[in-house]
Amino acid sequence: MRSLKLGAGLLSAVALVPAVHAQDAQRAEIDALRAEVATLQARLDALERQVASQAAVPRSASAPEPAAASSSTPAAPTVKTQGGLQVTSADERYSMRIAGRLHYDAYVFDGDAGVPSTTELRRARISLQGKLLEWEYKLEQDFASGNSLDGLRDAWIARDVAGGRLTIGHFKPYRGMEELTSSNDAAMMERSFVSANGLFSGRQYQQGVGWQWSGGDMPTTAGISVFNLRSAGGPRNEGMGVAGRVTWAPVHDEDRTLHVGAWGSREDAGDSSPDLRAESSHGSRRGPRRLLAVTPGASGGQVDAVGLELAGSFGPVSVQSEVSRARFDQALGPAQVLQAWYVQGAWLPGGGHRPYKTGSGVFAAPAVPEGGLWELTARYERADNRDLPGIATRSAVVGVNWYLNRWLRFMFDYTRGEDALEGGKVERLGARSQIVF
């Protein structure tokens, strides 16, 4: 009996051992969790004290502001409406400009000229130009010359290549200071004989490729162009040409510029080429004309021309002169030599200055102060066929220009011309209103 009681007690003790061990394990887990919570609480308290101490220190004026959150909205382009309309992207990699010019002329000829006095839209141009990444472009239509390809003027793309500017399309070959001066800047209503107004008659714009460089402490330019003998509205043909020009300004500052230049041109007539003509309008535009020399297109002949330039702008006085010599092949017989030259000047009696465009080697119109600006002009020019006696013309022009502002100009001139072959003289009064935007 006693042994049974002892056995029962032993069994009870054995049964209580696991329960005691379970309670000990739970207490250990609870103690560990309490220790972790205490550690986290201590870290949280330290972090709160650090934040509070930083907030108490004032921000330095030079300390950078936190970066703003980036926005997906692109920056707005820049829009300018002074004159024309120009839109440029925020990164300046894209741009577009709408511009134009309107030249409205009136002519009065003397009774013996044999041509009517009249009015006309001399130029009515709209142009679109701008930039697409590394490329620039320009497209210009002159509605005064027609709304088809006959009125197309500049139509090209261009970009910087090998330190210069590469141009591809429809543009003026690089020859002649007078020829490359914009009609918006020219001192006279019409260009001289040494231009497409005489020597390169009908060949002002050609289709081709050109490259021009400019730079140097003494502004220098050098350019060459290779072209098809075809304007935009001309017939398809195999004629080719090349022209080059170099200029140098050994004296150049804000008030003084001395310019010297030289140019050369060769035009080779090919299959279906138009005639290569030199015509003078010695009585100015719409007046009598004289054919000075011609190389028939069907002959396959050449026209070689060279020219020298000397010009300057010193305070309110500017002068410009060119002399040229051209050789026109003939279908039968020896070639004919044509010499042409001009000298012209302008004076701003109220002060002012004609600035120099260093990138192209020509002069620009003067800056116009508030209240406007007056300019007095004069030119004498002559063209002679050295192999055909009597084939010569000459003219003298005097004029006055009134600039109201940078966009608006009125021009008045008197022209007296003479045709040596017929001995006839022509006189003309001309006027122009010009707006540029």
Side-chain angles (χ1 to χ4, degrees), residues 127-391:
S127 67
L128 175 66
Q129 63 188 97
K131 182 178 180 181
L132 293 171
L133 298 176
E134 296 85 9
W135 289 89
E136 297 180 22
Y137 63 89
K138 184 175 183 179
L139 181 63
E140 183 176 55
Q141 177 73 23
D142 189 350
F143 296 97
S145 298
N147 55 9
S148 62
L149 289 177
D150 291 333
L152 193 64
R153 295 299 181 254
D154 282 312
W156 47 255
I157 59 174
R159 66 164 296 166
D160 292 338
V161 172
R165 177 184 173 88
L166 175 70
T167 302
I168 305 171
H170 191 251
F171 59 96
K172 291 181 179 181
Y174 303 140
R175 55 190 182 192
M177 188 176 195
E178 179 83 342
E179 178 63 20
L180 296 176
T181 299
S182 169
S183 60
N184 292 330
D185 298 329
M188 305 290 181
M189 287 180 60
E190 300 298 336
R191 291 185 173 92
S192 73
F193 295 158
V194 188
S195 70
N197 199 35
L199 179 57
F200 303 109
S201 181
R203 308 190 300 282
Q204 184 175 38
Y205 290 88
Q206 305 282 263
Q207 300 180 19
V209 179
W211 181 85
Q212 186 175 45
W213 170 87
S214 63
D217 295 334
M218 297 180 181
T220 305
T221 72
I224 186 169
S225 50
V226 180
F227 49 92
N228 182 207
L229 294 182
R230 183 192 181 195
S231 61
R236 296 181 178 89
N237 67 84
E238 296 183 1
M240 294 295 296
V242 59
R245 178 174 181 252
V246 294
T247 69
W248 180 46
V251 177
H252 177 64
D253 56 36
E254 292 183 358
D255 297 317
R256 303 177 306 154
T257 299
L258 176 63
H259 163 102
V260 292
W263 55 266
S265 171
R266 164 168 284 190
E267 298 167 296
D268 289 296
D271 185 29
S272 301
S273 292
D275 293 345
L276 305 178
R277 304 166 65 89
E279 289 185 312
S280 75
S281 52
H282 50 284
S284 194
R285 184 173 175 82
R286 300 307 182 193
R289 298 183 67 84
R290 168 59 59 195
L291 179 62
L292 299 170
V294 60
T295 295
S299 70
Q302 298 176 348
V303 174
D304 294 322
V306 293
L308 297 175
E309 308 166 3
L310 180 63
S313 182
F314 303 92
V317 177
S318 60
V319 292
Q320 180 175 313
S321 179
E322 289 182 79
V323 58
S324 67
R325 181 182 177 91
R327 181 180 180 276
F328 286 76
D329 283 348
Q330 302 298 299
L332 298 173
Q336 297 177 7
V337 174
L338 178 67
Q339 291 183 345
W341 60 271
Y342 73 89
V343 59
Q344 69 184 32
W347 175 44
L348 301 165
H353 180 69
R354 277 189 168 268
Y356 187 65
K357 295 182 177 180
T358 58
S360 54
V362 299
F363 288 104
V368 183
E370 185 176 354
L373 191 68
W374 290 89
E375 183 178 42
L376 304 179
T377 62
R379 178 173 68 207
Y380 182 80
E381 57 187 335
R382 181 177 178 124
D384 296 86
N385 186 317
R386 307 299 294 176
D387 295 289
L388 292 178
I391 303 299

Side-chain angles (χ1 to χ4, degrees), residues 17-136:
V17 170
V20 171
H21 282 294
Q23 290 178 358
D24 292 342
Q26 289 177 355
R27 289 193 188 96
E29 290 179 1
I30 291 172
D31 292 341
L33 289 175
R34 286 176 177 172
E36 290 181 6
V37 169
T39 301
L40 292 175
Q41 183 63 46
R43 292 179 178 177
L44 181 59
D45 292 342
L47 182 60
E48 288 179 348
R49 288 192 299 271
Q50 181 180 358
V51 171
S53 63
Q54 290 179 350
V57 178
R59 179 181 297 273
S60 171
S62 61
E65 294 291 335
S70 60
S71 172
S72 60
T73 304
T78 301
V79 179
K80 297 180 180 179
T81 58
Q82 188 178 27
L85 173 64
Q86 182 171 339
V87 181
T88 306
S89 64
D91 59 7
E92 299 185 349
R93 302 179 71 193
Y94 307 91
S95 67
M96 177 198 71
R97 181 173 183 262
I98 299 175
R101 70 186 71 178
L102 182 63
H103 298 179
Y104 181 66
D105 291 0
Y107 313 116
V108 178
F109 291 93
D110 68 332
D112 297 331
V115 292
S117 300
T118 186
T119 61
E120 71 170 350
L121 281 173
R122 179 66 176 87
R123 298 177 181 88
R125 299 185 187 180
I126 294 294
S127 67
L128 175 66
Q129 63 188 97
K131 182 178 180 181
L132 293 171
L133 298 176
E134 296 85 9
W135 289 89
E136 297 180 22

